[in-house]
Amino acid sequence: MNDKASVSKELNAKHSKILEGLLKLPQNRECADCRSKAPRWASVNLGIFICMQCSGIHRSLGVHISKVRSTTLDTWLPEQVAFMESVGNEKANSYWEKELPAHFERSEIEKFIRAKYEGKMWVAKNAKQPAPKLVEMSISSNKLVEGGATSEVPKKTRRHSLEEAVLSKHLGQSAPSMARSRGISLDLNHKFTTSPPPNGPPSMMEFDTASNKSNGTTDLFSLLYVPDAKQDYPTPPRWQTFD
């Protein structure tokens, strides 16, 4: 499902008002590249507002460098609007044009834009590019917080974690009962020990097994042998024993 399809009309209208307010700020009243008045386009991953001419050049750079959106015609996602709020032209140019000489000639605007963003010609050494803030999760409220915008987490996202919690709780309750039914003691270190045998004289099988263990080998014949004393043979009739 497309992310833009999840943006309602009400939310889209709210985004449009926010963008309109950002364009009225002094630092955003001019194009970030050519300095022309009243820009109506933006690069959502660079956080800058640009004019229509520069937007076409930005499109030619590729989406791996600049993703262009119209502030009035396109549908915006909440994280994109939040990023534009946190950056803007002044903050972005403090990174991209940090070492740009004063009164630099911008007549060949396409070469200027490519040198600025592709070649990073005037970026200061060891400077960090403005990037979208990481999404933070509030476990107690089940809300996503990003760039000052807060939104509820979808139920489908939470369902798996809730099932895991129920499963772990069920296993925690059933483990002691399973240990009792099988004669096994369960400690906190997950070591299993068998319960001691019941009191009483050892059986013939236990005696044979113990003797075999003492000899170090297992005598298969001793397991099959049954003492003659316990076998009841029938007494033959006298005529069979008559000579």
Side-chain angles (χ1 to χ4, degrees):
M1 180 179 179
N2 190 2
D3 293 337
K4 294 182 180 180
S6 61
V7 178
S8 62
K9 292 182 179 180
E10 294 78 7
L11 184 58
N12 190 39
K14 182 180 179 180
H15 291 167
S16 299
K17 290 182 179 180
I18 295 175
L19 294 172
E20 184 180 353
L22 293 176
L23 288 170
K24 292 180 180 180
L25 297 176
Q27 61 268 26
N28 297 328
R29 290 178 182 176
E30 294 181 351
C31 175
D33 296 328
C34 69
R35 303 294 176 84
S36 61
K37 302 293 184 180
R40 285 293 179 269
W41 295 78
S43 174
V44 297
N45 62 317
L46 297 177
I48 58 175
F49 294 97
I50 52 180
C51 64
M52 180 179 292
Q53 180 185 1
C54 292
S55 68
I57 301 174
H58 274 258
R59 289 184 186 276
S60 65
L61 299 178
V63 295
H64 63 289
I65 296 179
S66 182
K67 298 179 181 180
V68 180
R69 294 288 186 275
S70 171
T71 58
T72 56
L73 302 176
D74 291 328
T75 300
W76 286 61
L77 300 177
E79 58 268 24
Q80 295 173 341
V81 177
F83 183 57
M84 297 300 296
E85 286 183 296
S86 63
V87 185
N89 290 0
E90 183 177 4
K91 186 175 181 179
N93 281 336
S94 64
Y95 168 80
W96 295 104
E97 299 180 3
K98 182 67 176 180
E99 299 182 354
L100 180 69
H103 308 292
F104 187 83
E105 180 62 35
R106 305 185 185 214
S107 57
E108 298 181 2
I109 190 61
E110 183 173 357
K111 290 183 179 180
F112 173 79
I113 290 176
R114 291 189 178 276
K116 180 178 179 180
Y117 299 107
E118 284 185 337
K120 298 183 177 181
M121 190 71 68
W122 304 287
V123 175
K125 187 177 181 180
N126 298 328
K128 293 183 179 180
Q129 180 181 352
K133 296 181 179 180
L134 296 176
V135 177
E136 297 179 357
M137 178 70 181
S138 176
I139 300 177
S140 59
S141 58
N142 291 325
K143 294 181 179 180
L144 289 176
V145 181
E146 179 178 3
T150 304
S151 59
E152 292 288 342
V153 181
K155 293 183 179 180
K156 292 183 179 180
T157 307
R158 303 196 305 266
R159 181 179 302 170
H160 184 64
S161 60
L162 292 175
E163 290 177 354
E164 288 181 344
V166 174
L167 180 59
S168 61
K169 182 178 180 181
H170 174 71
L171 291 178
Q173 295 177 352
S174 60
S177 61
M178 293 172 61
R180 289 193 299 269
S181 61
R182 297 181 181 179
I184 298 176
S185 60
L186 178 64
D187 59 4
L188 296 178
N189 295 326
H190 301 282
K191 296 180 180 180
F192 297 90
T193 58
T194 57
S195 58
N199 297 328
S203 60
M204 182 63 69
M205 184 61 69
E206 292 176 354
F207 178 77
D208 294 338
T209 305
S211 61
N212 291 332
K213 288 183 179 179
S214 62
N215 295 332
T217 58
T218 303
D219 188 0
L220 297 179
F221 293 98
S222 63
L223 298 178
L224 298 176
Y225 174 74
V226 179
D228 293 337
K230 291 187 177 182
Q231 295 184 3
D232 297 331
Y233 294 100
T235 303
R238 292 184 178 181
W239 63 268
Q240 291 183 1
T241 59
F242 179 76
D243 188 358

